[in-house]
Amino acid sequence: QVQLVESGGGLVQGGGSLRLSCAASGRTFKTYGLGWFRQAPGKGREIVAAVTWLGDSTYYADSVKGRFTISRDDVKNTVYLQMNSLKPEDTALYFCYGDANEYSDDVSTFGTNGYWGQGTQVTVSS
């Protein structure tokens, strides 16, 4: 059974930083893309960042470019999201995602066929 378990969320003041981690078990994701999504109250789920299976290409939503960094450690089967200069509008439930399309670099399909964590809450105060 594949499981993705996020950690690292919490309450932080605007301008602060948090580092989210997502540990996968049940399968290795070293040949699969990984990503982070978020969902704010009353809004749909949106992709925040993604990293391809080789780790040589990343994608970021415009709203987080220059502030967030996604990385992966295939030895630990873990994906991270370093979030700096946090803003109140970053407040959301953050979900880890593991794609199920092996060797795919197509970030546009992320979220349609894969595995999800249970989410970790990030709250940024003003």
Side-chain angles (χ1 to χ4, degrees):
Q1 181 181 358
V2 178
Q3 282 192 314
L4 300 175
V5 179
E6 302 99 334
S7 61
L11 173 64
V12 65
Q13 279 194 324
S17 298
L18 284 175
R19 188 193 195 206
L20 304 183
S21 299
C22 173
S25 61
R27 81 181 303 178
T28 176
F29 278 92
K30 69 178 182 180
T31 56
Y32 299 87
L34 294 165
W36 289 93
F37 287 70
R38 69 186 180 187
Q39 186 166 15
K43 295 188 177 181
R45 191 174 296 191
E46 63 172 354
I47 188 168
V48 176
V51 57
T52 55
W53 68 275
L54 268 177
D56 59 347
S57 182
T58 55
Y59 164 87
Y60 296 95
D62 287 342
S63 58
V64 307
K65 279 181 182 175
R67 301 187 297 121
F68 291 11
T69 303
I70 188 171
S71 61
R72 61 187 297 160
D73 184 334
D74 290 332
V75 173
K76 295 181 178 180
N77 215 23
T78 298
V79 62
Y80 305 96
L81 185 68
Q82 178 66 43
M83 305 186 295
N84 298 328
S85 302
L86 283 161
K87 304 175 181 180
E89 50 263 45
D90 294 318
T91 295
L93 189 60
Y94 283 71
F95 297 91
C96 173
Y97 172 80
D99 200 46
N101 299 308
E102 195 170 19
Y103 304 119
S104 172
D105 291 339
D106 189 357
V107 177
S108 69
T109 67
F110 272 34
T112 62
N113 179 32
Y115 304 91
W116 296 91
Q118 81 289 350
T120 185
Q121 179 67 37
V122 172
T123 303
V124 185
S125 63
S126 57

